Structures are given as C-alpha cells and as structure tokens.
Amino acid sequence: MSRLPPLIALSYFEVAARTKSFAKAAKELHVTPAAISHQVKALEEYLGVELFVRHHRRVSLTPAARASLPELHEGFQVLADAVDKIRLYGEERKVITVCAEPLFATKWIVPRLHRFYARCPEAEVRLQASLHSVDQARASGFGVSQLKRAGIDVSVRLGYGDYEDLEPQCLMNLDLFPMCKPGLVSADEILALSNAPPLLCDRTLARFEDLCGWREWFRQQGCEDLESFKVLQFGNGLLALETAVSGQGVLLGSKDLLHTELESGKLEVVIDRPLRYAQAYYVVSAGLNIERPIARKFREWLLDEIGVPDA
C-alpha cells in the first residue's frame, strides 16, 4: 500500500482519463471540474509524471496515462466487486440505499414505504431524492459502475430506459394534465388564452420544448400563441407542486404521482386531456444475477405496487 497514491486521486484520474474530460468526470462524480483538476495535479506531483496535456478547453492523455488506464479501470472494478462481496456478509446486509427523482421519491415511494416494511420488517431503507436520477439525454451512459460508485442498490430514474448494463423495468409512464387549486381557473379561460394564471414550469421536464410541456399541450388543443401567459420556472417538481397547491398557477402534473392532492381537494384537473411525456420512470439495479437479495426484494415490491408484473 505504501506504493499507492491516495485512492481518491486515482479514482478521479481514472474517470477523467476514461471520459477524456474534466467536465464530464466532474458530472459523473458529482463534484466540480476544479476538484478533478486539483486531484489530478496532486497525483501528477506524487508520481512525478504528467498525465494530461492541457489544451484550451480540453485535455488529452499522455502516453503514461494511456498505458495505465486499462489496468487502473480493471483494478477499480475488482475493488468494487470485492466491496460488494463484503457488503453481502456485513452487519448492514439488510440496509438498502434507494435513489429516486425527488417528486417520485416524495409523492410515490414515501407514502407506500410502510407496506415494504410490512413485507420485509428486517430491512432499513435509506432513501435519497436526487435530480441526478433524471437523464439529460438518450444514451446517458448511466450503468452499473455509476450505481456502485454512488453506493446505490436501486434507482428509480426518469429517463428513456436505454441503460447499457442494467436491467431496466418501466414503472410508470407520465401522462400530464393541467392542474391547479380548485376554482382558480376554468377550462374555458385556459383555452381562451386570456386572464389565466401563470403557467408553472417544472424544469425536470426539460426534454420538452422551452415551456416544459405547456407548448406541446396547447398545440394538442390547437393553440400556438402563448405570449399572453406569465410563466414561472422551477428547478424541480416539488417546488412547482407547492406553488400550484398555494394557488399561484397551473401545473402540468401526473394523476398517478399527485393522487393524494387530487383526492384531498388540494388540486383539481382543469381539462382532462393528457400529454404523454417522452421519458418514463424506470427501476434499475445491478441485475438479477449480482444484486443483493434485499435489493431484489425492494425492486419486486416496487413492481408489485405499481401493478407491473415482475419479469
């Protein structure tokens, strides 16, 4: 071990070398590009050899970096596999770490979690709500290595389901309806494009055009000119939801996710005409052959709850 530099520096270098970009490495590791640059510089000083050639807005690998990358990548994979085996026999073998898009985690998983504990009373669920669970594009590159690096057993992702080395199963399509506080606006007022409250835009749905689905929904109704509407933008669905519940605008929401708000009368569907979102919610884990038993049980429970048969 005395021959090894700090593992965090090696891991940052491995990702930066594999992606050939400090910015892409920072995105994968959820740190800043400056942190990547700092660790790589420290590693170069420790080893006494240059690993990257710095160009304007890009980097390229030196011969030393190219020669070491395959073994380093393999080494981290071996380490990850070893840690997974330890976890199987550790004291926390019943602990499961679950990550999901914030709105799904809060409005769908949390209200039902007691039913999973009734099925598996020995389990301890550590639930994370993160916007990193939203795919920014098709072929996002998300896979087993990202799950393992983050210590996540099961992830519910809002995406396209095209994950290279995972076994995605669709949990829920997103059909979006105009919703607001009861009595705030009528269907006629919305379609007249005048005297209507603000349109609330959930930036989680950024795969739509500029208005996060509103332009597409109105286009389905034969309306194109939305200049008369005031627009409020939000970084996640929970913020947009709270704004809608407080009567400050109209939200494009899912009946499945916002069932409680609709049943309790906090929200109402203004016009019962849905817009299908291109992305859906997928449950992903390391795969049937290598995931931990408790992770398999949680994934199976999710599928039972959603009404999708387990494969």
Side-chain angles (χ1 to χ4, degrees):
M1 290 296 294
S2 62
R3 297 169 55 195
L4 291 178
L7 287 182
I8 187 171
L10 277 176
S11 68
Y12 280 28
F13 161 64
E14 186 273 330
V15 179
R18 173 165 44 81
T19 60
K20 297 182 177 61
S21 167
F22 286 6
K24 290 180 180 178
K27 186 176 180 180
E28 181 172 321
L29 294 168
H30 308 314
V31 298
T32 64
I36 301 292
S37 179
H38 174 76
Q39 290 293 339
V40 168
K41 185 67 176 176
L43 182 61
E44 289 176 325
E45 292 176 355
Y46 183 94
L47 296 173
V49 63
E50 190 176 55
L51 298 170
F52 290 94
V53 179
R54 278 76 168 173
H55 308 281
H56 181 60
R57 294 188 177 180
R58 68 182 182 88
V59 295
S60 59
L61 303 182
T62 65
R66 286 196 298 271
S68 63
L69 181 58
E71 286 84 357
L72 193 58
H73 178 71
E74 182 181 355
F76 275 110
Q77 188 61 57
V78 170
L79 280 174
D81 292 342
V83 170
D84 284 344
K85 290 179 181 178
I86 293 171
R87 291 175 67 196
L88 285 172
Y89 298 96
E91 291 182 357
E92 294 189 343
R93 59 187 178 277
K94 297 303 182 183
V95 173
I96 178 174
T97 300
V98 178
C99 187
E101 182 271 326
L103 189 64
F104 191 92
T106 304
K107 306 308 297 183
W108 199 92
I109 294 180
V110 170
R112 295 168 169 81
L113 202 51
H114 65 96
R115 296 209 284 265
F116 176 69
Y117 285 128
R119 180 186 291 194
C120 298
E122 75 282 6
E124 178 187 335
V125 178
R126 296 177 181 174
L127 180 60
Q128 303 174 6
S130 174
L131 288 173
H132 290 299
S133 296
V134 181
D135 291 345
Q136 298 303 310
R138 289 188 180 275
S140 63
F142 188 85
V144 168
S145 61
Q146 284 76 24
L147 279 178
K148 289 184 176 181
R149 197 181 293 274
I152 295 170
D153 295 294
V154 177
S155 178
V156 178
R157 299 190 64 80
L158 181 57
Y160 300 96
D162 49 353
Y163 306 110
E164 296 178 358
D165 49 2
L166 299 172
E167 297 186 2
Q169 292 170 288
C170 185
L171 284 176
M172 180 190 297
N173 290 309
L174 272 184
D175 291 324
L176 304 173
F177 299 80
M179 301 178 181
C180 66
K181 185 176 181 179
L184 181 66
V185 66
S186 68
D188 290 340
E189 289 172 325
I190 285 274
L191 295 176
L193 306 178
S194 62
N195 299 319
L199 303 178
L200 308 181
C201 292
D202 172 11
R203 295 301 304 170
T204 307
L205 306 176
R207 306 290 78 73
F208 281 129
E209 293 180 13
D210 56 321
L211 297 182
C212 303
W214 279 113
R215 195 172 299 282
E216 288 85 348
W217 185 86
F218 274 105
R219 192 174 292 148
Q220 288 185 180
Q221 319 315 315
C223 306
E224 292 284 350
D225 184 11
L226 306 185
E227 297 303 319
S228 60
F229 282 99
K230 182 178 180 180
V231 175
L232 301 180
Q233 303 270 358
F234 298 90
N236 66 64
L238 289 174
L239 294 174
L241 171 61
E242 288 303 313
T243 306
V245 169
S246 65
Q248 299 182 59
V250 188
L251 170 74
L252 274 178
S254 161
K255 291 181 180 180
D256 293 322
L257 283 181
L258 305 183
H259 174 79
T260 300
E261 284 74 14
L262 293 169
E263 286 295 308
S264 65
K266 292 182 179 180
L267 291 177
E268 67 177 3
V269 174
V270 183
I271 303 176
D272 201 17
R273 302 175 188 172
L275 173 68
R276 170 63 60 90
Y277 188 40
Q279 293 181 324
Y281 286 106
Y282 291 87
V283 56
V284 295
S285 54
L288 294 174
N289 295 325
I290 60 175
E291 69 183 348
R292 296 193 298 142
I294 192 66
R296 187 177 303 122
K297 289 180 180 179
F298 190 85
R299 191 191 67 238
E300 290 169 351
W301 170 77
L302 282 175
L303 293 166
D304 288 346
E305 285 288 322
I306 209 71
V308 178
D310 197 9

